[in-house]
Amino acid sequence: MNSLKNKVQLIGNLGNDPELITMENGSKLAKFSIATNETYKNSEGEKVTDTQWHNVVAWGKLAEIAENYLTKGKEVMIEGKLMSRSYETKEGEKRYITEVKCNEMLMLGK
């Protein structure tokens, strides 16, 4: 049951091509964002689409797969866990970010 405490599954479309970073130790990191859409009818009966953007990071072999096969607009299913971190801007402001650390990835569509 512990594996269900922090588990995220998303199906969405890439908002950009993955950005690949090679660390000093040789490990690879891919960063990309995916959009998920939810459609519903508002109180006037009009169809509304709500789009949410999710930052995703993938390490190692998954990073290489993302670099080689994922491009902007592609549909993908990812599974992972939520990770939060903070960083400081050049101006000294503290910023917070939440990302999905990808553990599994499935390319969908054509």
Side-chain angles (χ1 to χ4, degrees), residues 30-44:
K31 294 181 174 185
F32 55 95
S33 61
I34 65 171
T36 56
N37 296 312
E38 179 182 1
T39 305
Y40 61 93
K41 289 191 178 183
N42 64 14
S43 58
E44 288 81 40

Side-chain angles (χ1 to χ4, degrees), residues 96-107:
Y96 298 90
I97 188 167
T98 300
E99 303 166 315
V100 177
K101 181 183 175 196
C102 182
N103 297 326
E104 291 188 46
M105 182 171 30
L106 179 63
M107 292 165 276

Side-chain angles (χ1 to χ4, degrees), residues 46-48 52 60 107:
E46 299 167 317
K47 183 178 170 183
V48 177
Q52 296 291 316
M107 292 165 276

Side-chain angles (χ1 to χ4, degrees), residues 2 5-6 9 16-17 28 30 35 37 41 45-46 50 56 75-76 83 87 89 93 95-98 102 107:
N2 283 341
K5 289 187 177 178
N6 185 1
Q9 293 180 323
N16 52 10
D17 290 345
K28 295 190 178 196
N37 296 312
K41 289 191 178 183
E46 299 167 317
D50 180 33
V56 180
E75 188 176 32
V76 66
M83 304 289 288
Y87 64 95
T89 66
E93 298 175 26
R95 298 274 171 92
Y96 298 90
I97 188 167
T98 300
C102 182
M107 292 165 276

Side-chain angles (χ1 to χ4, degrees), residues 20-29 59-61 63-64:
L20 190 76
I21 300 167
T22 302
M23 302 297 180
E24 289 180 13
N25 65 4
S27 63
K28 295 190 178 196
L29 165 68
W59 290 89
K61 193 67 174 166
E64 292 175 22

